Each structure stands twice: as structure tokens, then as C-alpha cells.
């Protein structure tokens, strides 16, 4: 079975209050969106809804490879799509400095505050500056959630991780340290002493990253959950609850391929009953009145309790859009566009009974020579959707430094969670058996030996 994303169904459902005059697509609906970052799912949603969209995109997105722009979409190249200077000067340069945008939106974690500022500039609908800060600074976020009475880890802010005070003492038995406003688990480490922090500081210096302010938080025990959903006018309209195969910190530190699955709202309703009150409370405290969100929680199975991890005012990464759509029949990106434009995202879930999950196809150090195509992967038993992110010739680094760097991803469905985890491992093994990577840092002699081995393997048909 393959997942057809070319015709995403409208996500409509009945709600306690109907849309305003004119209906969802009536004459009163605002139809002009400024999108910061070339998000292919949001672009598709704009096309389906007939939205006039202007896309601002930066150098890194351009070099990695942009999705096809709809013919009617304006696109504005800027050097840095997360920088307010780049965004506004780029728009003015293209004669759009006074364009009557009806809303500003981004799914780029690093551009959330910039999108709030651009919205203020144009005097139009956008995430508020206060809410944007609540979702970007992890210390601000955790303090707000803690003040609301929601369980979350103890934490301490390290103003400059490369310049610890002489009398600073490591405050926890075991902890996680990460950038105060990071994303994708980049520069995130498990630590247990001041010496560990000093090693992190050395890595930060060597990487020459401008990130210096870090959050140190008490280590969360338990299973890591992910929650994606839709809220509008303060009402929680949709919730998808799932879990990771391994916590993302384990994935990054031990270089395991991330895997995840969705809980079923019928057969596993206990997970939704447990998560919903916490999610509602956290969103209210963080002042996200309307939009989509991605939240991470920690489940203590011994006490059946949840603790808040962190939350983003955007869709989850990876194949979140595709997974949620396949399991529930709901397009988060379409909902995001509608909510941003002030319209009620009417959601009508159609829940698939199969267990749905995904796994990352991780990079292997060296130069990518060949790998199975997305079309080949999609023919495997249980495969729903596959994506290959890297082109032939791409030089893959020694270690993936965060959860963004990956070769590709695949979604599978199975009859049970146990069958799903088994099939995910089997697909990963199948993929790696067929992956051909030119090894890095080898001598010409070693490369010739490697090449002879590849030729023998191919002749034998293995």
C-alpha cells in the first residue's frame, strides 16, 4: 500500500461553534499568506485552498533543494530566512514591503520569532511575540509550565557554556545539556559532572557555533512520547499521541536510527486520556491560542504519570505530516494554514486500525554511490511511504550531529506494535544490505580493494 499525498483530503469536522459569515471558503476568508521557509506541505495546502502565497527562503534551503513552487506562488530568495533583516530587506527589494498579507506563518523552528516580528511589521495575523518567545526559549517555557503546576524536569541556565564560573558546581546526579533555543536535538548531550560540561564546551568552541547559552535539566526517566495536534481559539480540536522506539537523546548519543509509532485512539485510548489534560494545560500556560504544535512528554510507566519535556509551535519533523495523515486522515499543514488565516480547521478524522510508524534511514560515513529508491522501498510488505533525502555523490559526515541529517525515512503499517517494530528493523537491514557508500579517509590501495569487493558482490548477484 502506498500513501498518495497528491490529494490530501480536507480535514473537516463538526465543532461547537460554526465558521463565520461566508463559510470556510466564502468571500470573507483572507487569502494571502506570507510563508517563511519553503515547506512543501504548507505549499500544497495553500494550493488546495486557493491561497495567494509568497514564500521567503534562505541559502541553506536553496542549496539543499527546494520543493516545486506552485506556478502562482511568489518566491523571494534571502540570505537567511531566520533573520528579520534578511526577510524584510528581501521583501522590500521585491516591492512587497507594503503588500496586504492576511497572515504570516512559518514551520521553521528558528524563524518563529522572526515570523512574529514580520507579522507585527505588516500589522497582520501571526503568532504573538510573547507566545513565540515562550516556545523558543526552553528555560522560559519550562518555568511557565512549572508555574502552571505541570510536572517537568528541574533545570538551570548556563549563560555561557564556554565560560563556567570557578565556583560552579554540577547540580544534578544526571542531566541533559542543550542550547537554550535549539532544535532537532543538535548539540544535546547527557552529562553527569562539571568535567562533562567542560567537554561539551570544548565541542562548542571547536564547532565555532554562536550558541553559547545552554539549558541544563535533570535527566528525565521513562519513555519519550510525541504529541502533534491542532488548537483554535483555545479549543483543542485534534490530538495525535505516539512514542519513540528509543528516546531521542539515546538515538543521538548512541547513533541509533530514530523510530516511532502512533498510539491508536481506540485500542490505546488510555494514552490519550493521560496526555490530553497535560496538553491542554501546557498550551494554555504557553498562550498558544490557535495553530498546530509538536510536544514531547516523558511517561513514567511505574506510576503511569507524564512529565512535560518541551513544545514547538509548529508541525513535528521527519514524516509527521505523512504519518498523521495516514493514521488519522488529517493534514496538519492544511489545518495550520486555515488556523493562521483565522478560519476554523474543521477536522474529520478517519482512524486507520493498523499500527502506523516510521524509521529513519541513517547516514553512513562516506560518499553515497547508490541506494534503493523510494519507489523500491514502497513495494516492501507493509510499506506506506518512503523518501530519500540525499542525492548520489553526497558526502555523508562521520557522525550525524542531530536528527535532521538523514539519508531518508520510511513509514510502515502492521497488525500490532510488536510486528511494527520487527518490520522497521527488517526494512532497515534490507536497506543497508543494498546501500553502497564509498568509504571515507582511505588510501588509493584500500579504495581499489573496496572497488574489487563491490564488483565481486555485483557479479554474484548478492
Amino acid at each position: 500500500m502506498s500513501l498518495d499525498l497528491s490529494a490530501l483530503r480536507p480535514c473537516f469536522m463538526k465543532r461547537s461553534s460554526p465558521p463565520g459569515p461566508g463559510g470556510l471558503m466564502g468571500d470573507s476568508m483572507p487569502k494571502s499568506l506570507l510563508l517563511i521557509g519553503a515547506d512543501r506541505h504548507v505549499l500544497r495546502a495553500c494550493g488546495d485552498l486557493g491561497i495567494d502565497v509568497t514564500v521567503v527562503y534562505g541559502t541553506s534551503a536553496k542549496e539543499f533543494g527546494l520543493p516545486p513552487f506552485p506556478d502562482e506562488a511568489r518566491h523571494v530568495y534571502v540570505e537567511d530566512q531566520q533573520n528579520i533583516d534578511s526577510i524584510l530587506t528581501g521583501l522590500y527589494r521585491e516591492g512587497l514591503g507594503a503588500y496586504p498579507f492576511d497572515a504570516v506563518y512559518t514551520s521553521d523552528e528558528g524563524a518563529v520569532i522572526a515570523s512574529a516580528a514580520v507579522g507585527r511589521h505588516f500589522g497582520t495575523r501571526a503568532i504573538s511575540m510573547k507566545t513565540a518567545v515562550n516556545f523558543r526559549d526552553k528555560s522560559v517555557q519550562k518555568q511557565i509550565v512549572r508555574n502552571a503546576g505541570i510536572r517537568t524536569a528541574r533545570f538551570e541556565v548556563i549563560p555561557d557554556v564556554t565560560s563556567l564560573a570557578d565556583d560552579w558546581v554540577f547540580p544534578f546526579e544526571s542531566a541533559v545539556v542543550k542550547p537554550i533555543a535549539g532544535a532537532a536535538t543538535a548539540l544535546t548531550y547527557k552529562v553527569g559532572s562539571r568535567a562533562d560540561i567542560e567537554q561539551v564546551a570544548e565541542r562548542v568552541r571547536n564547532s565555532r557555533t554562536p550558541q553559547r547559552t545552554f539549558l541544563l535539566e535533570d535527566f528525565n526517566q521513562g519513555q519519550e512520547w510525541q504529541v502533534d495536534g491542532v488548537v483554535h481559539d483555545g479549543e483543542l480540536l485534534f490530538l495525535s499521541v505516539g512514542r519513540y522506539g528509543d528516546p531521542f537523546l539515546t538515538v543521538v548519543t548512541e547513533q541509533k536510527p530514530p523510530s516511532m509509532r502512533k498510539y491508536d485512539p481506540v485500542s490505546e485510548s488510555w494514552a490519550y486520556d493521560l496526555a490530553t489534560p497535560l496538553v491542554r494545560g501546557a498550551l494554555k500556560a504557553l498562550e498558544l491560542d490557535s495553530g498546530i504544535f509538536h510536544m514531547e512528554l516523558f511517561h513514567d510507566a511505574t506510576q503511569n504519570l507524564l512529565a512535560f519535556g518541551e513544545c514547538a509551535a509548529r508541525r513535528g519533523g521527519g514524516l509527521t505530516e505523512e504519518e498523521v495523515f495516514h493514521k488519522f486522515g488529517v493534514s496538519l499543514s492544511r489545518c495550520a494554514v486555515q488556523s493562521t488565516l483565522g478560519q476554523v480547521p474543521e477536522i474529520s478524522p478517519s482512524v486507520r486500525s493498523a499500527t502506523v510508524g516510521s524509521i529513519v534511514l541513517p547516514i553512513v560515513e562516506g560518499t553515497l554511490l547508490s541506494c534503493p529508491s523510494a519507489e523500491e522501498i514502497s513495494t516492501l510488505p507493509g510499506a506506506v511511504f518512503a523518501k530519500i533525502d540525499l542525492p548520489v555523490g553526497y558526502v555523508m559526515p562521520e557522525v550525524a550531529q542531530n536528527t535532521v541529517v538523514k539519508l531518508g525515512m520510511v513509514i510502515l503499517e502492521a497488525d500490532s506494535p510488536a510486528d511494527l517494530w520487527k518490520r522497521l528493523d527488517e526494512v532497515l537491514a534490507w536497506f543497508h544490505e543494498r546501500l553502497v557508500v564509498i568509504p571515507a579517509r582511505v588510501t588509493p590501495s584500500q579504495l581499489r580493494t573496496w572497488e574489487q569487493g563491490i564488483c565481486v558482490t555485483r557479479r554474484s548477484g548478492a
Side-chain angles (χ1 to χ4, degrees):
M1 179 183 295
S2 62
L3 177 58
D4 181 10
L5 292 175
S6 64
L8 288 172
R9 294 192 297 275
C11 44
F12 300 144
M13 84 177 222
K14 291 182 180 178
R15 185 176 183 266
S16 56
S17 56
L24 279 171
M25 293 304 294
D27 293 339
S28 65
M29 181 176 180
K31 294 184 178 180
S32 178
L33 180 72
L34 175 59
L35 174 63
I36 300 176
D39 185 313
R40 67 185 187 281
H41 298 304
V42 175
L43 285 170
R44 182 186 294 113
C46 288
D48 291 346
L49 293 167
I51 305 301
D52 168 41
V53 61
T54 300
V55 187
V56 173
Y57 62 95
T59 299
S60 60
K62 181 179 180 182
E63 290 188 346
F64 189 82
L66 296 166
F69 290 127
D71 292 339
E72 61 275 15
R74 300 177 195 83
H75 38 97
V76 178
Y77 166 70
V78 300
E79 291 180 342
D80 183 356
Q81 68 186 39
Q82 300 179 350
N83 182 287
I84 187 66
D85 289 359
S86 291
I87 296 168
L88 286 182
T89 54
L91 288 170
Y92 271 88
R93 197 162 50 241
E94 296 297 322
L96 298 171
Y99 192 81
F101 295 112
D102 293 301
V104 179
Y105 180 73
T106 187
S107 56
D108 179 349
E109 177 67 24
V112 171
I113 290 180
S115 71
V118 172
R120 288 288 297 273
H121 168 78
F122 284 100
T124 193
R125 295 182 63 89
I127 189 171
S128 77
M129 187 63 73
K130 176 63 167 59
T131 303
V133 170
N134 291 350
F135 278 84
R136 281 297 289 144
D137 188 295
K138 291 180 171 64
S139 68
V140 171
Q141 182 175 101
K142 282 187 173 292
Q143 191 60 56
I144 289 172
V145 168
R146 180 183 295 281
N147 291 346
I150 297 171
R151 295 176 73 242
T152 191
R154 296 175 298 160
F155 68 90
E156 179 177 315
V157 175
I158 303 177
D160 184 348
V161 74
T162 66
S163 182
L164 293 176
D166 292 340
D167 60 351
W168 184 83
V169 177
F170 190 82
F172 307 117
E173 181 178 341
S174 179
V176 174
V177 66
K178 54 190 174 183
I180 201 79
T185 329
L187 293 174
T188 299
Y189 305 95
K190 186 176 179 180
V191 291
S193 65
R194 177 181 174 124
D196 289 343
I197 297 291
E198 289 171 345
Q199 288 181 5
V200 171
E202 188 63 25
R203 293 189 189 104
V204 169
R205 289 191 194 94
N206 292 340
S207 67
R208 299 184 181 276
T209 175
Q211 293 171 304
R212 289 289 188 271
T213 304
F214 275 59
L215 184 78
L216 182 69
E217 65 178 27
D218 201 2
F219 185 72
N220 272 304
Q221 299 291 341
Q223 192 179 82
E224 190 170 1
W225 287 14
Q226 84 270 17
V227 179
D228 291 276
V230 183
V231 61
H232 190 78
D233 286 344
E235 184 176 346
L236 187 62
L237 299 186
F238 171 76
L239 205 61
S240 162
V241 180
R243 57 155 291 189
Y244 295 106
D246 292 293
F248 257 27
L249 181 64
T250 302
V251 164
V252 172
T253 56
E254 299 183 14
Q255 290 302 295
K256 293 184 175 181
S259 60
M260 60 204 74
R261 77 169 182 90
K262 301 303 179 192
Y263 283 121
D264 188 90
V266 178
S267 63
E268 297 171 309
S269 58
W270 65 271
Y272 290 80
D273 293 340
L274 191 61
T276 299
L278 188 154
V279 170
R280 283 199 174 111
L283 294 176
K284 181 178 180 180
L286 295 171
E287 302 178 45
L288 184 65
D289 182 68
S290 295
I292 65 174
F293 61 90
H294 176 73
M295 190 179 295
E296 294 179 353
L297 310 174
F298 289 89
H299 180 230
D300 181 346
T302 60
Q303 303 182 67
N304 198 30
L305 292 174
L306 284 178
F308 176 88
E310 58 187 60
C311 190
R314 55 165 172 79
R315 186 184 71 244
L319 296 181
T320 297
E321 174 79 7
E322 292 89 345
E323 280 185 87
V324 170
F325 182 73
H326 185 68
K327 178 65 180 177
F328 300 98
V330 172
S331 167
L332 293 172
S333 297
R334 185 182 180 112
C335 293
V337 172
Q338 291 174 326
S339 186
T340 297
L341 290 168
Q343 297 295 316
V344 180
E346 295 203 344
I347 305 162
S348 183
S350 176
V351 181
R352 190 179 298 271
S353 60
T355 302
V356 176
S358 66
I359 193 166
V360 165
L361 304 173
I363 62 172
V364 175
E365 183 187 9
T367 302
L368 178 61
L369 187 60
S370 69
C371 69
S373 67
E375 291 73 21
E376 289 177 273
I377 300 169
S378 296
T379 64
L380 297 175
V384 170
F385 179 79
K387 183 165 73 82
I388 298 298
D389 290 333
L390 303 179
V392 169
Y394 188 89
V395 180
M396 295 181 285
E398 178 181 0
V399 176
Q401 294 298 323
N402 57 59
T403 56
V404 171
V405 181
K406 56 187 179 295
L407 221 169
M409 289 193 75
V410 58
I411 298 176
L412 296 177
E413 66 174 22
D415 293 333
S416 69
D419 287 343
L420 177 74
W421 297 128
K422 180 174 180 289
R423 285 294 298 133
L424 289 173
D425 287 340
E426 289 172 349
V427 168
L428 184 64
W430 176 92
F431 181 83
H432 275 287
E433 286 173 1
R434 291 156 178 79
L435 175 64
V436 182
V437 177
I438 301 172
R441 297 191 302 276
V442 291
T443 65
S445 175
Q446 292 171 321
L447 200 55
R448 291 188 191 98
T449 301
W450 171 85
E451 183 181 17
Q452 290 167 1
I454 289 293
C455 292
V456 169
T457 300
R458 287 179 170 172
R459 281 198 300 270
S460 66

